[in-house]
Amino acid sequence: MKELLILVVVTIFTLATYYLVEPFAHSQMHKHVESEHFAYNDLPKLTATGDATRGAELVMGGAGCTGCHSIDVAGMPAPMDAVTAAASYGVNPPDLSNAGAVYDAKFLAELIKNPAHALLVEHKFDMDKGQMHPMVAFYGTGGDLDQEVADMVAYLQSIAVKPEELTPAIAYETVCGRCHANHYAKWTQIGTTPTFKYEKESLAFQIQVLEYQDSLVKYMGTLPPDLSIYIRSRGEHYIETFMENPQNYLKGTAMPRVGVNKHAAEQVIEYLKDSGDAKRHEREEVGKYVMIFMVIFAIFAILWKKQVWRDLH
Amino acid sequence: MAHFTKATSVHDWLNQRLGIDTVRRVMATEYWIPKNINFLWAMGMVLAITFALLLVSGIFLLMYYQPNIATAFDSVNYTIMNEVEFGWLWRHIHGVAASVVFLIIYIHMFTGIYYGSYKKGREMIWISGMLLFVTFSAEAFSGYMLPWGQMSYWAGMVITNLFAGGSLHADGLVEWIRGDYVPAQAFLTRFFMLHVLLLPLAILGLIGLHFGALRIPHVNNQDGEEIDFEVEAAKYKAGDKAGSKVIAFVNDFLSKDMMVVAIYLIFFFYLVFYHFNFAMDPVNFDPADGLKTPAHIYPEWYFLWSYEILRPFSTDVGLIAFAFAQVIFVLLPFLDRSPNAVPASRRGLFQVWFWLMLVDMIVLTAMGKLPPEGVFSTIGLYAALTFIALWIALPIITMFEKKA
C-alpha cells in the first residue's frame, strides 16, 4: 500500500511537470488559430449554375487564360517553359488541368474576378499604387459576369480528376510545388529531379532550378522554404490553418492564400507526411507488437518476483 | 604461480583461471541489500537499463550519422529516418531515452535526499552520483548539437556564450571552445567527439565509481535503520531468509528490480511509439540557420530549472546564481548538518525543506520554458530567490534538528 502511495506521488509530480512544460508552455508561446475547415466564409457564394461547354469556350478563347496557363488534359501546351515563365511573371503560372479538383469553387470564381483579393495579397498588389498582380483580372466578355465566371469554374471542374483520383502528389504539385521544393520527395520548383547519367546534365538541371529560384526570390522577397519535414517542425494543425490563411500567422506575408478545398488540403498533408514522417505506418505496426511483448514480459517479471520473494517474507 | 589441475568442465576450467565462483559470490549471490526497501530503490537498475538503451541505439545511429554541417541534418532526418531500415526506431529510442533518463535521475536524486542516503559514509555515493549528473548533462547537450537543427545551433550559441562570464568578456575562451567565432564545422566535430567518445568513457568510469562507492557503506533502507550486515547475512545463509533483514542481490533484489524495469519499459515504449514529440522539439526540425533566430530559444526540459535561475537576473548576477545552482547539490552532504540519516518525514523542518525544494524546482522548470514576460518572469524571479534561500537555510535548520 505504501508503495502505491509513493507511486501516486511520483506520478502526480511527473504529470504536473509534463503539463507545465509541454501543453501549457506551448499554449502560451504559440497563437492558437481555429480551423475554418476550408469554408472561405469571406468569399461570396456562386449564384449562377455554370455550363462547362460555354466555360470551355471562355477559357480557351475570350477570357485568354491559355495565354499564360497550360491545360495538359485539353492538349493546351504552356506558352513558355517554367524558368522563362518565372522570369516573366515571378512564378510559373499553374497548369489548369486539375485546378477544379484542388481549389474551392468560390475561391476559383473570386480568383478569376479579383486575384489579389482571393489570394489575400492586396497589401502587396495595390492597384491604386500601380502594383499589378501578374494574373490579370477577368472583367467579362459582354454577358453576365457571374454567369461567365460560373461557366469557367464548371469547365475546370469538368476536366479535373475525380476527388478519389486526386493523389497527394497532384495536390502538392498543383498547390505548393511551384514555390516550395521538397527535397526528401526529390521535388524542385520546376518538377521532380530526374535521374541523370552524366554530371553535366545534373548540373544543367541545377542551374535551371537556381534560375527559377532567383525569379522566385525577386517575386516573393525570400525563397519559400523547403517543406520536406514541415510535418514535424510545424505539425498538422499549423499547416492546415496556415494553408487556409497565411495571414493568420504571418501578417503581411507575401505567401498567398492558396484556396485549396478540404480534400485537397488533406492530400497535401498526406504528401508532407510521406516526405517528413515516411515510416509512420511501420511505427504504428511495430509499436503494437512491442507493447504486447512488453506486457507479457512484465507479467513474467511480476511472477518471478513473487516466486523469489515467497521465501523472504 | 597458482596450481592448475586438469579441468573437469568448462566451468571448472574458467573457474581455475578467472575465479568465476568467487566473482559470482562477491558481486551477486552474497552482495547484501536491505530487505526493507520500496520500488524507488530500483531506479538504479532502471537507469542502467536506460543507459544500455542509449548506448545500443547510439551505436546504430553512429553507423549513418555524418558529422558535417552540410550533411548532418539530412543524415539524421532523411537517411536515418526514411532510408535506413528501422533507423526511425533507433532514433526515437535514443531521443526518448535521453529525455526519460533525466526524469529517472531526478527521481533517483530526490529519493536519495528524502531518505538521507548521502550521509554517514554514503557521501561518495552522492558525490559520484552528482558527477554522473553533470556528465550526463554534458552528454545530453553535446548530443543535442548533432542533428544541426535550429535549436542545436542556437542552444549551442547561447550555452557557449555563458563561458564569456558576463562582464569578464572572456570572448577568447568562447572562441576556443567553439573553435570558431560562431558554431560551425569545428564546433560540430568536437561536440561529436565529446558525445560519442570522451563523455561516454567518463560516464562508464563514473558508473563504476558510483557502484564501488555503494560497496562499503551498503545500500540505505526506507527507515534509515542501521543494519549489521554480517549478522543478518549469516542469518540468511543459515536458512532464515524470512527473519533476516538482508536479501541477496541475485536473485532476490534483481527479481524486484526486473519487475520495476518491466513496468517502466511499458511506459518507455509507449512514449517511443506513440508520444515522442515531447522529447524531440519541433524547432529542431528546421535546419540550422545562423541568420534566423527562432522566436523562442529554450533548453530541453531537464535543464530548465537551472536556466531559470540564470534568467531573471542581470547578466553577472545571473551567471553567479547559475554557477551556484550547478555546484550546490554536490555539497548537500556537508550542508546538511544533522546526523539523522532517516526519512525526511521524521526530520521536522527538513521535511518542509524537501517538499519546498521539489515544488520550487518544478516551478522553476515551468517558468524556464515560458516566455520571460509579465507574471511569468515575476514568478521565475521569486522561485529563483527561493531556491537560493532554501540552500542558505539548510545548514541552519539542520543544525537545530532534534535527534531522531
Side-chain angles (χ1 to χ4, degrees):
Chain A
M1 266 310 88
K2 195 174 175 185
E3 299 221 16
L4 211 59
L5 180 71
I6 296 169
L7 182 61
V8 169
V9 172
V10 171
T11 310
I12 289 172
F13 279 108
T14 305
L15 288 179
T17 310
Y18 169 76
Y19 169 76
L20 289 168
V21 298
E22 279 293 308
F24 179 69
H26 286 285
S27 76
Q28 296 297 309
M29 283 189 284
H30 311 294
K31 180 174 154 186
H32 182 75
V33 176
E34 242 356 285
S35 170
E36 301 157 359
H37 306 289
F38 301 91
Y40 303 111
N41 289 322
D42 62 311
L43 297 175
K45 283 203 174 61
L46 291 185
T47 46
T49 313
D51 176 344
T53 324
R54 270 184 292 157
E57 285 163 21
L58 284 164
V59 168
M60 305 285 193
C65 304
T66 48
C68 301
H69 295 277
S70 61
I71 311 178
D72 284 344
V73 287
M76 293 296 296
M80 346 177 189
D81 66 90
V83 176
T84 321
S88 316
Y89 306 116
V91 62
N92 185 22
D95 179 84
L96 299 182
S97 303
N98 294 309
V102 299
Y103 300 115
D104 177 80
K106 283 196 294 184
F107 171 84
L108 269 179
E110 186 68 13
L111 184 69
I112 294 166
K113 288 193 285 190
N114 186 353
H117 179 247
L119 297 164
L120 296 179
V121 286
E122 285 164 306
H123 55 282
K124 200 178 146 189
F125 298 101
D126 186 344
M127 290 281 268
D128 298 337
K129 292 185 194 153
Q131 299 160 326
M132 291 282 288
H133 190 274
M135 171 158 163
V136 183
F138 174 63
Y139 295 107
T141 57
D144 174 22
L145 178 63
D146 288 331
Q147 183 60 52
E148 289 181 349
V149 167
D151 293 342
M152 289 159 77
V153 171
Y155 169 68
L156 291 176
Q157 288 178 332
S158 74
I159 57 168
V161 292
K162 300 280 162 292
E164 60 274 15
E165 292 163 354
L166 181 65
T167 61
I170 294 178
Y172 182 87
E173 288 163 17
T174 312
V175 179
C176 326
R178 286 166 301 114
C179 290
H180 296 282
N182 185 320
H183 74 289
Y184 288 4
K186 300 197 165 42
W187 177 259
T188 73
Q189 286 94 344
I190 60 171
T192 303
T193 311
T195 317
F196 297 106
K197 199 171 171 192
Y198 301 105
E199 199 190 349
K200 65 176 184 182
E201 289 173 3
S202 165
L203 292 172
F205 181 78
Q206 283 176 43
I207 290 171
Q208 296 263 300
V209 173
L210 289 171
E211 278 180 4
Y212 185 98
Q213 289 181 348
D214 283 347
S215 307
L216 203 52
V217 169
K218 254 182 245 156
Y219 181 56
M220 299 300 287
T222 177
L223 186 68
D226 184 298
L227 301 184
S228 296
I229 47 169
Y230 257 48
I231 198 71
R232 296 215 54 178
S233 66
R234 301 300 188 279
E236 200 171 329
H237 177 80
Y238 180 94
I239 294 170
E240 187 182 314
T241 44
F242 192 86
M243 258 196 290
E244 277 184 317
N245 184 355
Q247 305 292 330
N248 276 340
Y249 292 98
L250 297 174
K251 198 93 197 114
T253 180
M255 165 150 167
R257 165 162 76 178
V258 285
V260 276
N261 59 42
K262 191 162 168 41
H263 178 57
E266 284 162 5
Q267 295 298 75
V268 166
I269 286 176
E270 195 64 15
Y271 183 90
L272 294 178
K273 283 182 178 170
D274 287 341
S275 68
D277 191 11
K279 298 294 179 75
R280 63 196 182 285
H281 303 302
E282 186 179 60
R283 185 172 66 227
E284 274 151 29
E285 194 61 20
V286 173
K288 257 188 303 197
Y289 294 118
V290 172
M291 294 313 289
I292 292 169
F293 174 83
M294 287 324 306
V295 169
I296 294 170
F297 179 72
I299 291 169
F300 278 102
I302 292 166
L303 290 174
W304 184 43
K305 190 263 173 185
K306 283 204 182 303
Q307 189 213 5
V308 170
W309 280 64
R310 204 178 296 137
D311 302 339
L312 301 176
H313 288 304
Chain B
M1 176 92 188
H3 180 66
F4 289 90
T5 57
K6 186 168 169 48
T8 55
S9 63
V10 175
H11 176 93
D12 182 47
W13 191 88
L14 285 171
N15 201 29
Q16 288 191 44
R17 285 154 182 83
L18 295 174
I20 54 174
D21 282 348
T22 312
V23 171
R24 192 175 133 79
R25 204 179 64 241
V26 173
M27 303 296 280
T29 54
E30 290 181 22
Y31 176 28
W32 306 106
I33 310 284
K35 190 189 286 174
N36 182 21
I37 51 173
N38 59 50
F39 79 90
L40 291 172
W41 268 256
M43 290 306 132
M45 185 61 80
V46 171
L47 281 171
I49 296 285
T50 313
F51 181 67
L53 283 165
L54 282 164
L55 196 62
V56 172
S57 56
I59 288 169
F60 281 98
L61 294 174
L62 191 48
M63 294 185 203
Y64 291 96
Y65 174 74
Q66 299 171 20
N68 178 306
I69 53 170
T71 55
F73 187 82
D74 284 349
S75 77
V76 174
N77 290 303
Y78 184 70
T79 311
I80 290 173
M81 290 300 286
N82 287 7
E83 290 200 307
V84 177
E85 286 291 329
F86 295 103
W88 58 270
L89 179 60
W90 296 119
R91 194 213 179 172
H92 279 195
I93 288 177
H94 204 69
V96 170
S99 200
V100 170
V101 83
F102 278 92
L103 171 66
I104 308 299
I105 286 174
Y106 284 127
I107 294 174
H108 196 54
M109 257 175 78
F110 273 93
T111 302
I113 301 176
Y114 187 86
Y115 291 103
S117 308
Y118 49 86
K119 303 207 248 186
K120 287 199 180 159
R122 297 199 177 93
E123 291 84 353
M124 276 314 294
I125 307 175
W126 177 264
I127 291 168
S128 58
M130 285 314 299
L131 290 175
L132 270 171
F133 176 75
V134 173
T135 37
F136 261 88
S137 300
E139 179 69 358
F141 174 74
S142 57
Y144 201 68
M145 297 301 106
L146 302 189
W148 209 240
Q150 272 289 68
M151 221 40 137
S152 305
Y153 183 91
W154 289 98
M157 181 80 98
V158 171
I159 298 299
T160 47
N161 255 339
L162 295 179
F163 290 91
S167 299
L168 295 176
H169 285 296
D171 299 330
L173 178 63
V174 177
E175 281 158 28
W176 181 73
I177 291 169
R178 289 179 184 162
D180 203 334
Y181 298 108
V182 290
Q185 185 59 55
F187 177 92
L188 178 61
T189 328
R190 66 184 55 184
F191 275 91
F192 173 68
M193 179 283 291
L194 289 173
H195 188 71
V196 304
L197 180 68
L198 189 56
L199 291 168
L201 277 181
I203 286 173
L204 288 172
L206 284 167
I207 290 175
L209 176 63
H210 197 53
F211 287 175
L214 271 168
R215 204 71 209 196
I216 296 170
H218 283 282
V219 174
N220 194 9
N221 59 78
Q222 70 174 331
D223 288 318
E225 185 187 355
E226 279 194 48
I227 295 169
D228 187 332
F229 278 80
E230 273 167 38
V231 172
E232 297 299 328
K235 224 191 263 179
Y236 182 98
K237 283 202 275 189
D240 184 13
K241 287 186 178 184
S244 174
K245 286 179 179 174
V246 298
I247 54 175
F249 180 69
V250 175
N251 294 326
D252 306 342
F253 184 65
L254 189 68
S255 69
K256 189 166 181 174
D257 266 359
M258 288 319 288
M259 177 178 80
V260 178
V261 165
I263 294 166
Y264 158 77
L265 286 179
I266 296 176
F267 161 74
F268 176 79
F269 281 109
Y270 162 74
L271 295 177
V272 167
F273 289 104
Y274 303 106
H275 204 92
F276 44 81
N277 278 335
F278 80 98
M280 309 177 117
D281 199 278
V283 181
N284 220 25
F285 285 93
D286 277 339
D289 184 348
L291 299 174
K292 206 153 93 196
T293 317
H296 304 281
I297 302 177
Y298 43 80
E300 285 292 279
W301 71 269
Y302 37 85
F303 295 140
L304 288 168
W305 67 270
S306 55
Y307 184 59
E308 187 58 21
I309 289 170
L310 169 82
R311 212 165 57 159
F313 305 105
S314 64
T315 315
D316 290 341
V317 180
L319 279 171
I320 293 166
F322 182 69
F324 173 83
Q326 297 309 308
V327 298
I328 200 67
F329 272 99
V330 184
L331 302 177
L332 176 62
F334 312 104
L335 293 172
D336 182 343
R337 307 305 303 160
S338 158
N340 298 328
V342 295
S345 57
R346 287 166 31 206
R347 292 185 56 191
L349 270 181
F350 181 79
Q351 187 183 9
V352 179
W353 185 90
F354 174 85
W355 293 109
L356 273 180
M357 178 56 83
L358 179 59
V359 171
D360 191 52
M361 283 183 67
I362 291 175
V363 171
L364 283 167
T365 300
M367 297 309 135
K369 183 136 182 188
L370 289 160
E373 299 154 358
V375 68
F376 298 139
S377 54
T378 316
I379 296 173
L381 173 66
Y382 284 108
L385 292 172
T386 307
F387 180 86
I388 296 164
L390 280 171
W391 282 103
I392 295 169
L394 182 65
I396 303 161
I397 62 168
T398 49
M399 216 181 308
F400 295 104
E401 192 173 306
K402 286 200 196 77
K403 181 97 186 82

